[in-house]
Amino acid sequence: MSCSLFEFCRLQEFKTVRDFLFRNEKKDNELSWDTSDWESAWEGGDNKEEESTSDKKGEPWLQDCVVSLSPCADLLVVAREQKAAFLSAKWRTDDSGREEMTLGVSWTGTLSEVLLCIFTSCLNTFFRSSTGRPDWTCVVVGFTSGYVRFYTESGVLLLAQLLHEDPVLRLKCRTYEIPRHPGVTEQHEELSILYPAAMVTIDGFSLFQSLRACRNQVARAAAAGNDVIQPPPLAYKKWGLQEMDTIVDHSSVGIMTLCVFDQMKNASILGGFNASVKGSPPAMSQYVTVGSGPYTGFYYAIEGSSQPLLSHVAMAVASKLTSALFSAASGWLGWNKNKNEEEAPQKQKPKVEPATPLSIRFGLPDSRRHGESICLSPCNTLAGVTDDFGRVTLLDLARGIAIRMWKGYRDAQLGWLQVPEERSERDLSPSASLPRRHALFLIIYAPRRGILEVWAMQQGPRVGAFTVGKHCRLLYAGYRLMGVNSVTSQGWQLHTQQVCLLDPITGALRTVNIPFHLALRFVPETSVLFQYLFFPSLQDSLEGIEEELSRVAPTLQRYAQFTPRPSVSFAQDSPDSPLPAQAFLSQLECTEDEEVKVIRRSETEWNQLGKAGNISKHINAPLLFLFLHLGAVEESWDPQSISPWWQQVRTTCVQSHNAAAALLAALVTHRAAKASITSRSEWEAVSLELEQWVVCVRQLEDVLVLQTLLLVPPPPGATGGATVQCSIKTLLEGGTGGIADSVSKWVFRQDISPERLKEILQKRGNKEADDNVEQRDEEERHEKEKKLLLALCQRFPHSLSPDFLFAHCCWEYVVQWNKDPEEGQYLCWSVEHLKMVSSPHIQQGVCTMMWSTFIVKRFSAATFLMEKVGKAPKDRLCRRDVGMGDKAMTSFLGCCVQLLNILMEADSAVEEVSAPELSIEEAWSGAEGPASIAELALEQKGVHYPLVQHHCLLASLLHAAMTFSVKVKPFSLFDSKGKNAFFRDLTTIQLMPSGDMDPGLVSVRQEFLLRVLTGWVQAIDDPSSSTPLPSSGPRAEWWPSLCLELGSLLQVNPDILRRHLVCELYSQGLDLRAEEVMLEVEDKDVLGSQLLVLTGQRLSYSLLHSQNQTQAAMELLAMVRSQHYSLTSRLVGRLIEILPENHAQYSLALHLLEAVEVLTTED
């Protein structure tokens, strides 16, 4: 049984609450509409509504609100600025007929001023209700003016008082708790109100009596039709908190009594050498504040030092309850008052009592750290503090020190959960009168990471983690039912939710269930083992074990950091249960010399006895201790042969998935076997049995490093399966590529890019520091991954060589892409991993296997689809025929081009480089299983280079057509020989096109390439941009060079393509790029004639479009005209340089130059 998140309630009409609280902003947004939304609504109005709805759901609107949930979870208050909404508990029947609790809107209203904080408290009368629930719930609200107002769950104002003329920062309550241990000070109820420089505490009993009296007066006033009530006086204490720069949150710990030593220590520190000490330690109220200067402050107020203040509540409140309370149309009293009623109390400003100064006793100084919140534990001994550095600090309030700190929790929200011990047979024992044990857990919600964590106190591990939304709110009340004392609390079994998580997207309220036994799991697993390993009676037989343990200790520590804690299991539930104790003891006998020996019986019982250690799951240290002293190895065993006994233990270690436990067991048994062999002869022990143990220990050390790497948790949001379980047996059965295959799956699960993997393997990393906390955490995680991977590569220099690992990573990513073709990034990274392989033989083989296994089928489907529709197909057709969307298909075709280019380069380099010799580590030479990817690649046949180039040409044409949406039938660009050669096995020799092509076919090819160049120029149409072009996509800079390369393969004159590109660039105003391409044009005369026409078009456009323009357009035209004429003048100058003087159009170019100069002068 482990931690779980349990949904116990769901909020209804939560969207109504959001619309009510953000109504004004919604109206503002509606007024600022533009016509683009109107126009686009005609095309896809339904889709747009769905998108807008989904966008609103993702908005973190709840973070801008004040939220409070009652301890009994029967009332939720959500407020923002001057608006508030109450949601009350309701029961409804679902579709299956099951009763479930929901929270529905019971009241909404607008306040007269802006509120800052809210808390809800369940109250109970002296007469217990029949349902076992609280009688009613009070809502306490703090405002910016300093007022504190009390309302019922139906929005009726009960009491209002101005306690201090500063904004109310926090409202916190402490309710009665039954002391669990004798001698613990009984804590009474109290309401504490924090202001920027003061704190007010109201006695809970006095407040409870006042609220009950106000509620009764409201009921009588409503019955009599009277709208004025006389609230009773309210007793409170007011402290002026001094010697702290800023205070943002506080906690009232309660009354504490120091021991005599602490009393004398404080007296000597505060009063000096001659300080007097009272006979009995005084009772003090402890208050802890967070903020800055110091970061955390501790205040102590001695009981009786400040007299309660009785304010004139009636004069301060002067709140008139209108009879409209009972009309269904006018809302509730005390909230929506008219203007005259609001001005009445302002004229009679109540008297504010001065605060009693209270000096800080001590604090935790940290000038750079600013506290944000503090959360007090239910036992009042610990507190969690959050700060602006993204840290969570655990404070010991009794000692006033920080005892633990977590980092990487920016904007964290805290809560506590106290779990009692389960009822068992212990309650029926004589010790049942002892108090029940309670386990304490800290709940941390990190909204930046969207994770909810459960930590055992005080130095315990993380016992639970849940992935939740990033916009949730953790609701922790920290108090229970109010109005309960030591008499009325007897036998009270009211269930309250200590911690709740509110998800604004689904409206679900969930609580955390934590079993008590998780608090007992924090016992180091190796501590018990080491106690037996280093037991005095074992020191002789285990001589030298300390050295081996120290050698593997760092690896064991890293393994323990990532190993999940084992869950509770029962032996009778296991199909392979261990040997019963009675059967085990029946195989032992005690000799006259007080030695214990094993009775050799049947082979089945002998093997079952060897399995009794149960090493595959855990190490049974006492049983292992007993084995080592039994002399369980039969005396007839020859030391030069394999012992069946030790072989049974070794087999268990080989099959174990717990590498650490198996390694520790192997180290112990290896030493025991060596001691047993050495005791029989004075010569140095050299036997086949010991060699087997040496190999086993070496393999277990390798598996431990590998398993530590595989247990590294993936980054948040990464896609990957479960952690791969490994053992010596599974690795040996996985063949020579089993280790590389496991690491490649880990690389995919960790989402490590090919470039970063190459840097790790080259032992290079990014050492630059960064001030960002999240980036520093990510760099620390990357550094751990790097160290673990390098350590593993050092242990497997052959199985994890760079080429070996990159080949397996390439195959893993293409397998994952084949499962989900929409994830085009997987195929792109597969190709990038393939580029990292240095051996052309492995590259060629992997390319061939990828093409025939995964690529060619989808590639042919894409080709036939484009041939059918004659253009770039729509998304629906792509999904139907190819199995992926149009964007994913474009990326797929680009990857096909890269893959075939890699194959051509590898085929060209195969003859120059000899094939690599693959080897495996000596300890793992017994691997039996499938061949590795590298071995399969070396077995592939060579490819036919012209056929690969032919397919690469087709892939490039398809990629260009999809990228720029060019209409084309792919097969129309090839003759009959070229069509027949497509989609054949790349290792076969096919009849390829040769000789000069038909002029009509060349014309079609030329027209296609010209349209591709036009599409590229239109995609980069931004003359004012100086940023470099990207390396991929339609704006990539390599498209013109690719078209020229394709033109040479398709027998298209490249000079025609260059001239067309120059003209298109000038047409789009990209003159500088056009001048660069112009240098490569060979036929200058034809280019000059084309540019002459383009220059005339420029001047015509400039002159004709300057007429019939608005004044604003004319002003804008005047600003750019000078620059436009200068570019045109430069273009005409280029024309005159290109055209020879005897050209028929040379004089026209001169006239154009004169005209441009005249226009420039006039402008």
Side-chain angles (χ1 to χ4, degrees):
M1 183 178 179
S2 58
C3 298
S4 62
L5 270 179
F6 171 70
E7 179 181 336
F8 67 92
C9 181
R10 185 170 289 270
L11 276 62
Q12 302 293 330
E13 306 172 358
F14 212 37
K15 182 177 179 299
T16 306
V17 175
R18 183 193 64 194
D19 295 341
F20 169 73
L21 296 178
F22 292 85
R23 183 177 301 167
N24 294 336
E25 292 187 4
K26 183 178 179 182
K27 291 182 179 179
D28 295 340
N29 295 335
E30 291 175 353
L31 293 176
S32 60
W33 54 272
D34 54 3
T35 57
S36 60
D37 295 335
W38 241 37
E39 295 169 356
S40 60
W42 291 96
E43 299 178 358
D46 297 337
N47 296 333
K48 188 166 183 180
E49 288 181 2
E50 295 176 359
E51 293 175 0
S52 63
T53 304
S54 62
D55 292 342
K56 288 182 179 179
K57 288 183 179 180
E59 294 176 357
W61 64 273
L62 196 62
Q63 306 298 335
D64 300 331
C65 302
V66 182
V67 185
S68 179
L69 180 68
S70 65
C72 299
D74 57 353
L75 181 65
L76 177 70
V77 180
V78 185
R80 179 177 178 271
E81 295 180 354
Q82 294 180 258
K83 297 180 179 179
F86 291 178
L87 291 87
S88 301
K90 301 176 183 178
W91 290 91
R92 72 182 184 91
T93 306
D94 57 6
D95 298 336
S96 61
R98 185 179 57 183
E99 294 287 337
E100 62 177 4
M101 191 180 80
T102 61
L103 288 176
V105 177
S106 60
W107 181 89
T108 57
T110 304
L111 286 70
S112 59
E113 56 178 313
V114 178
L115 60 88
L116 290 179
C117 51
I118 286 180
F119 93 92
T120 56
S121 177
C122 300
L123 286 88
N124 180 48
T125 60
F126 293 127
F127 301 99
R128 190 171 304 170
S129 59
S130 59
T131 59
R133 305 292 295 176
D135 292 337
W136 59 289
T137 304
C138 179
V139 181
V140 188
V141 186
F143 295 88
T144 54
S145 63
Y147 266 96
V148 177
R149 295 186 172 91
F150 301 82
Y151 298 89
T152 65
E153 65 270 21
S154 55
V156 179
L157 178 64
L158 296 177
L159 185 62
Q161 187 162 0
L162 181 64
L163 302 174
H164 193 70
E165 292 182 325
D166 276 330
V168 179
L169 299 182
R170 297 287 175 137
L171 293 167
K172 292 194 175 181
C173 180
R174 187 178 70 244
T175 52
Y176 176 79
E177 290 287 342
I178 303 175
R180 295 200 308 270
H181 304 283
V184 176
T185 306
E186 190 177 67
Q187 303 295 338
H188 297 282
E189 299 175 334
E190 182 185 71
L191 171 66
S192 58
I193 306 167
L194 180 67
Y195 296 91
M199 182 177 61
V200 175
T201 60
I202 304 176
D203 178 65
F205 180 77
S206 173
L207 176 62
F208 174 68
Q209 297 295 339
S210 300
L211 292 178
R212 190 175 62 168
C214 290
R215 188 166 181 263
N216 294 335
Q217 289 188 27
V218 168
R220 287 194 294 267
N226 190 7
D227 58 350
V228 178
I229 65 172
Q230 188 69 22
L234 196 62
Y236 64 91
K237 295 179 182 180
K238 187 175 181 181
W239 304 102
L241 305 179
Q242 298 179 346
E243 302 176 23
M244 192 165 177
D245 296 343
T246 307
I247 301 176
V248 297
D249 198 1
H250 78 293
S251 279
S252 176
V253 181
I255 300 175
M256 58 175 296
T257 304
L258 297 177
C259 64
V260 178
F261 176 79
D262 290 338
Q263 181 193 7
M264 297 174 64
K265 179 189 68 174
N266 293 338
S268 64
I269 292 176
L270 298 176
F273 179 77
N274 297 319
S276 59
V277 181
K278 296 182 180 180
S280 60
M284 298 181 295
S285 296
Q286 183 183 19
Y287 306 103
V288 184
T289 59
V290 296
S292 60
Y295 156 64
T296 303
F298 290 79
Y299 293 87
Y300 293 88
I302 299 178
E303 289 296 309
S305 60
S306 176
Q307 295 297 327
L309 302 173
L310 292 176
S311 62
H312 301 283
V313 180
M315 177 179 172
V317 178
S319 58
K320 300 192 177 184
L321 307 179
T322 61
S323 58
L325 165 67
F326 307 100
S327 63
S330 61
W332 299 99
L333 290 176
W335 293 73
N336 292 325
K337 301 179 183 179
N338 55 38
K339 185 176 181 181
N340 296 332
E341 291 174 338
E342 292 178 357
E343 293 178 352
Q346 297 178 3
K347 295 179 181 179
Q348 298 178 355
K349 189 174 183 179
K351 179 182 177 182
V352 178
E353 302 290 347
T356 302
L358 185 62
S359 300
I360 189 173
R361 176 71 60 87
F362 60 89
L364 302 180
D366 193 338
S367 58
R368 298 178 55 197
R369 192 183 304 271
H370 299 274
E372 294 180 346
S373 66
I374 181 171
C375 186
L376 182 65
S377 67
C379 57
N380 296 335
T381 58
L382 302 175
V385 179
T386 63
D387 56 47
D388 57 346
F389 283 177
R391 304 292 197 267
V392 176
T393 307
L394 183 65
L395 299 182
D396 186 338
L397 301 180
R399 294 184 291 169
I401 60 174
I403 58 177
R404 193 173 184 181
M405 179 178 286
W406 295 265
K407 65 178 182 178
Y409 293 87
R410 194 171 295 275
D411 300 331
Q413 302 172 27
L414 307 181
W416 294 90
L417 198 60
Q418 192 170 245
V419 181
E421 185 180 11
E422 294 86 353
R423 296 287 185 181
S424 61
E425 291 82 358
R426 177 176 177 270
D427 298 332
L428 304 177
S429 64
S431 61
S433 58
L434 297 176
R436 294 178 64 188
R437 295 184 297 176
H438 287 70
L440 188 62
F441 299 92
L442 176 63
I443 314 296
I444 304 179
Y445 169 55
R448 296 288 186 93
R449 295 185 290 167
I451 187 172
L452 185 73
E453 297 181 346
V454 182
W455 292 83
M457 293 294 101
Q458 298 179 12
Q459 301 294 333
R462 189 180 75 172
V463 299
F466 308 95
T467 301
V468 296
K470 293 186 177 182
H471 307 315
C472 300
R473 285 288 292 270
L474 187 67
L475 305 178
Y476 172 68
Y479 55 91
R480 296 179 183 270
L481 194 67
M482 197 171 185
V484 178
N485 51 36
S486 58
V487 178
T488 58
S489 62
Q490 298 298 327
W492 188 263
Q493 300 293 334
L494 179 64
H495 177 70
T496 58
Q497 303 292 346
Q498 299 184 47
V499 177
C500 298
L501 186 72
L502 173 59
D503 190 346
I505 299 178
T506 61
L509 264 177
R510 293 180 288 180
T511 185
V512 185
N513 288 335
I514 307 176
F516 177 82
H517 68 80
L518 292 183
L520 307 177
R521 282 171 37 180
F522 183 56
V523 178
E525 297 176 6
T526 57
S527 61
V528 178
L529 174 65
F530 288 161
Q531 291 176 9
Y532 287 98
L533 290 181
F534 301 119
F535 203 76
S537 60
L538 281 176
Q539 290 182 354
D540 296 336
S541 61
L542 298 180
E543 184 178 357
I545 191 70
E546 297 91 343
E547 182 180 353
E548 295 191 16
L549 287 175
S550 62
R551 178 172 52 84
V552 298
T555 307
L556 287 172
Q557 291 176 357
R558 288 195 296 265
Y559 175 81
Q561 292 176 358
F562 302 112
T563 307
R565 296 292 175 181
S567 58
V568 177
S569 60
F570 300 94
Q572 60 267 25
D573 298 334
S574 175
D576 190 14
S577 58
L579 191 67
Q582 183 179 2
F584 172 72
L585 295 176
S586 65
Q587 300 188 30
L588 306 177
E589 68 175 2
C590 185
T591 64
E592 297 179 356
D593 299 332
E594 297 182 355
E595 293 182 358
V596 181
K597 290 188 176 181
V598 179
I599 304 173
R600 181 64 185 266
R601 295 186 178 180
S602 64
E603 190 69 22
T604 303
E605 294 179 348
W606 185 254
N607 292 334
Q608 193 176 10
L609 181 63
K611 292 182 180 179
N614 197 18
I615 302 174
S616 61
K617 294 182 180 179
H618 63 280
I619 295 181
N620 195 330
L623 192 59
L624 187 60
F625 167 81
L626 183 60
F627 278 175
L628 298 176
H629 285 72
L630 291 179
V633 183
E634 61 178 331
E635 298 177 356
S636 60
W637 166 58
D638 183 8
Q640 298 302 321
S641 62
I642 301 296
S643 167
W645 172 267
W646 294 123
Q647 181 61 36
Q648 183 67 46
V649 179
R650 202 159 41 242
T651 302
T652 306
C653 294
V654 166
Q655 297 176 353
S656 173
H657 290 283
N658 191 338
L663 176 59
L664 292 174
L667 290 174
V668 175
T669 49
H670 178 210
R671 287 291 171 180
K674 187 175 182 179
S676 176
I677 296 174
T678 307
S679 63
R680 300 188 181 191
S681 174
E682 297 180 355
W683 295 88
E684 182 180 355
V686 178
S687 68
L688 185 60
E689 177 64 39
L690 294 183
E691 290 301 319
Q692 292 283 341
W693 274 117
V694 170
V695 174
C696 181
V697 170
R698 169 68 186 188
Q699 290 177 336
L700 286 172
E701 291 178 0
D702 294 342
V703 171
L704 179 62
V705 178
L706 175 60
Q707 198 170 43
T708 303
L709 180 73
L710 298 181
L711 288 174
V712 175
T719 304
T723 303
V724 180
Q725 295 290 336
C726 65
S727 64
I728 297 178
K729 181 181 179 181
T730 56
L731 292 180
L732 291 175
E733 293 176 350
T736 55
I739 299 169
D741 183 64
S742 300
V743 177
S744 65
K745 287 180 169 58
W746 175 82
V747 170
F748 171 76
R749 192 169 65 252
Q750 294 293 328
D751 199 21
I752 299 178
S753 64
E755 294 80 8
R756 176 157 163 28
L757 181 60
K758 183 178 180 181
E759 290 180 359
I760 294 176
L761 296 179
Q762 292 178 351
K763 300 182 180 179
R764 293 188 295 108
N766 186 11
K767 297 293 184 181
E768 297 179 0
D770 201 316
D771 294 335
N772 192 325
V773 175
E774 294 183 357
Q775 292 186 7
R776 284 205 305 269
D777 294 343
E778 186 176 356
E779 289 178 2
E780 291 178 2
R781 182 175 61 83
H782 288 169
E783 191 65 24
K784 291 180 181 179
E785 295 174 358
K786 174 185 173 183
K787 291 180 180 179
L788 290 173
L789 184 56
L790 288 178
L792 186 64
C793 292
Q794 290 175 359
R795 302 193 70 90
F796 294 98
H798 304 297
S799 299
L800 291 180
S801 61
D803 283 358
F804 219 86
L805 183 56
F806 280 126
H808 277 268
C809 289
C810 167
W811 195 257
E812 176 65 23
Y813 270 97
V814 75
V815 168
Q816 297 295 335
W817 169 81
N818 189 57
K819 295 178 181 178
D820 187 7
E822 286 293 334
E823 293 291 340
Q825 184 66 27
Y826 293 165
L827 184 59
C828 293
W829 278 16
S830 175
V831 175
E832 291 296 324
H833 279 293
L834 188 58
K835 291 180 182 178
M836 303 295 180
V837 178
S838 60
S839 171
H841 296 82
I842 298 178
Q843 266 191 339
Q844 184 188 40
V846 174
C847 280
T848 305
M849 292 190 299
M850 286 177 60
W851 176 263
S852 59
T853 307
F854 302 106
I855 307 297
V856 66
K857 183 177 180 181
R858 297 184 187 272
F859 180 69
S860 62
T863 306
F864 286 115
L865 177 61
M866 294 186 67
E867 178 71 19
K868 180 179 180 181
V869 299
K871 59 180 181 180
K874 298 294 183 182
D875 185 81
R876 179 180 59 83
L877 296 176
C878 294
R879 294 182 184 277
R880 185 192 66 184
D881 291 6
V882 190
M884 64 185 78
D886 53 350
K887 294 182 179 179
M889 179 172 158
T890 304
S891 175
F892 163 70
L893 293 173
C895 292
C896 291
V897 176
Q898 297 183 43
L899 183 67
L900 294 172
N901 280 324
I902 295 174
L903 183 55
M904 289 190 293
E905 294 175 2
D907 183 68
S908 302
V910 163
E911 301 296 334
E912 303 175 359
V913 183
S914 60
E917 295 182 1
L918 303 180
S919 58
I920 194 171
E921 290 74 21
E922 183 179 358
W924 296 91
S925 57
E928 298 178 358
S932 65
I933 298 297
E935 292 175 338
L936 294 176
L938 295 178
E939 295 175 359
Q940 301 299 312
K941 298 180 180 178
V943 296
H944 185 45
Y945 186 91
L947 184 59
V948 177
Q949 188 181 40
H950 191 56
H951 282 84
C952 185
L953 177 62
L954 176 62
S956 301
L957 296 175
L958 295 178
H959 186 213
M962 286 294 298
T963 303
F964 301 106
S965 300
V966 180
K967 292 184 178 181
V968 66
K969 288 181 177 292
F971 290 147
S972 65
L973 304 178
F974 300 91
D975 58 3
S976 57
K977 293 181 181 178
K979 296 176 184 177
N980 293 330
F982 284 130
F983 316 124
R984 304 288 183 179
D985 188 357
L986 297 181
T987 60
T988 60
I989 299 177
Q990 300 293 329
L991 186 62
M992 304 300 298
S994 60
D996 296 335
M997 287 292 165
D998 179 65
L1001 184 60
V1002 174
S1003 175
V1004 175
R1005 294 175 174 179
Q1006 175 181 313
E1007 182 65 25
F1008 173 77
L1009 295 178
L1010 294 179
R1011 282 185 287 179
V1012 172
L1013 289 173
T1014 302
W1016 177 76
V1017 174
Q1018 292 175 353
I1020 64 169
D1021 183 15
D1022 191 3
S1024 61
S1025 176
S1026 59
T1027 58
L1029 296 178
S1031 59
S1032 61
R1035 300 179 71 248
E1037 200 166 4
W1038 45 263
W1039 279 108
S1041 59
L1042 176 64
C1043 290
L1044 294 175
E1045 183 181 351
L1046 294 177
S1048 62
L1049 295 175
L1050 296 174
Q1051 300 183 7
V1052 176
N1053 186 0
D1055 202 54
I1056 297 177
L1057 301 179
R1058 293 192 185 97
R1059 292 200 304 267
H1060 178 77
L1061 180 59
V1062 171
C1063 294
E1064 288 294 329
L1065 290 172
Y1066 272 121
S1067 298
Q1068 298 295 333
L1070 303 171
D1071 292 19
L1072 297 179
R1073 293 185 181 274
E1075 292 175 2
E1076 295 176 2
V1077 182
M1078 189 188 301
L1079 300 176
E1080 302 177 4
V1081 176
E1082 299 177 357
D1083 195 344
K1084 305 289 186 181
D1085 295 349
V1086 178
L1087 178 62
S1089 301
Q1090 293 175 340
L1091 293 181
L1092 192 63
V1093 176
L1094 192 145
T1095 306
Q1097 293 175 351
R1098 271 194 177 186
L1099 290 176
S1100 172
Y1101 182 85
S1102 176
L1103 294 174
L1104 295 178
H1105 283 72
S1106 63
Q1107 302 174 1
N1108 301 327
Q1109 298 289 339
T1110 62
Q1111 182 178 358
M1114 291 295 292
E1115 293 175 356
L1116 181 62
L1117 185 62
M1119 293 171 61
V1120 301
R1121 183 178 295 171
S1122 58
Q1123 182 181 1
H1124 178 74
Y1125 285 150
S1126 64
L1127 293 176
T1128 306
S1129 175
R1130 184 173 177 177
L1131 174 58
V1132 176
R1134 295 285 184 184
L1135 279 174
I1136 296 175
E1137 294 176 1
I1138 292 175
L1139 294 176
E1141 294 183 0
N1142 58 356
H1143 196 276
Q1145 296 176 338
Y1146 185 78
S1147 59
L1148 181 58
L1150 294 176
H1151 291 312
L1152 279 175
L1153 180 60
E1154 294 176 0
V1156 171
E1157 290 177 352
V1158 171
L1159 291 173
T1160 306
T1161 305
E1162 291 180 356
D1163 187 68

